[in-house]
Each structure stands twice: as C-alpha cells, then as structure tokens.
Amino acid sequence: MVAAEDAGKVGVAERLGIDPGAVVQEIGWGEDVDDDLRAAVEERIGSDLLDEDADEVVDVVLLWWREDDGDLVDALVDAIGPLADEGVIWVLTPKTGRPGYVEPSDIAEAVPTAGLAQTSAISASADWAATKLVSPKSAKSKR
C-alpha cells in the first residue's frame, strides 16, 4: 500500500516534467504549500529543493503564488534569472475557492510581459493548480 501511495506522489513530479537529477528551485514557500507535492519532487530529483536565495542554474522553478503576493511580472522576471536555457517555471496557485486564488487571466497577462510563454496547466494537488511557463521559441532562435 505504501508503494502505491509513493507512486501517486512521484506521478505529480512526472506530470510536471521533472526529470530525476533535475535542479529545482522553490520560490514563495509558505505554510499553505502542498508538502506532498514538495516531497514528490524531492523524491524524484533525489535531493532537496533549492531555496529562493540559491545561486545555481536551475532546470525548474516552482513558484508558489497567491493573490496578495505582489507583482507577478516582477516575480517571474526574478525566477527567470537562474533558469537554464531549456528550463521551465511552474506557477503554483490556489485553486478556485481557496484562499489566495489567482485569476487565470492575471497569469495570462503577466506571462508575455515577463518575456515568457504559457504552455499548459494541470491540477497539481487538491488545493493547487500549476501553470507551465517557458521562454518563447522565437527568443531562443535569436540567440
């Protein structure tokens, strides 16, 4: 029974496209984050999540974001800094009806301003939705 439970946890990390050994930074941690999701990611990568002050190049940024957290564009621009060229940012927001809920349109408006593109969204856990952001392909081809 424990193995099935662990498999479910790893499933969310896989759905987030996080590869074993990936370097994952977590920004915006708070008491309300989903600890099972965090544990699943740590189990998948085989190490701890890096905190917001880490100076390493990262493959994935998990950005926990709530309605009252400030300016999403600023947070996204900051999250891009340590991101590897092919890296992704997952914006994790409370689902509809949960405290701190963020309108999807707020994310959609912030993404291009920050120089990113939104590719997909999934249900990350019972309380959190995840939106995947990447650097637009056109920006990569101009480098």
Side-chain angles (χ1 to χ4, degrees), residues 43-128:
E43 185 176 321
R44 178 99 171 133
I45 64 175
S47 64
D48 292 338
L49 298 173
L50 299 177
D51 66 23
E52 359 198 320
D53 299 325
D55 289 332
E56 299 174 46
V57 173
V58 299
D59 302 305
V60 179
V61 172
L62 298 180
L63 174 62
W64 300 95
W65 193 258
R66 302 142 198 96
E67 182 184 33
D68 296 329
D69 281 351
D71 186 339
L72 181 55
V73 173
D74 288 346
L76 291 173
V77 169
D78 290 346
I80 293 167
L83 204 58
D85 286 346
E86 300 296 320
V88 301
I89 298 172
W90 281 99
V91 179
L92 296 147
T93 55
K95 288 185 175 177
T96 307
R98 308 294 196 290
Y101 170 72
V102 177
E103 289 286 344
S105 61
D106 292 347
I107 297 170
E109 289 171 17
V111 168
T113 306
L116 295 166
Q118 183 173 329
T119 62
S120 59
I122 66 167
S123 173
S125 70
D127 294 324
W128 293 87

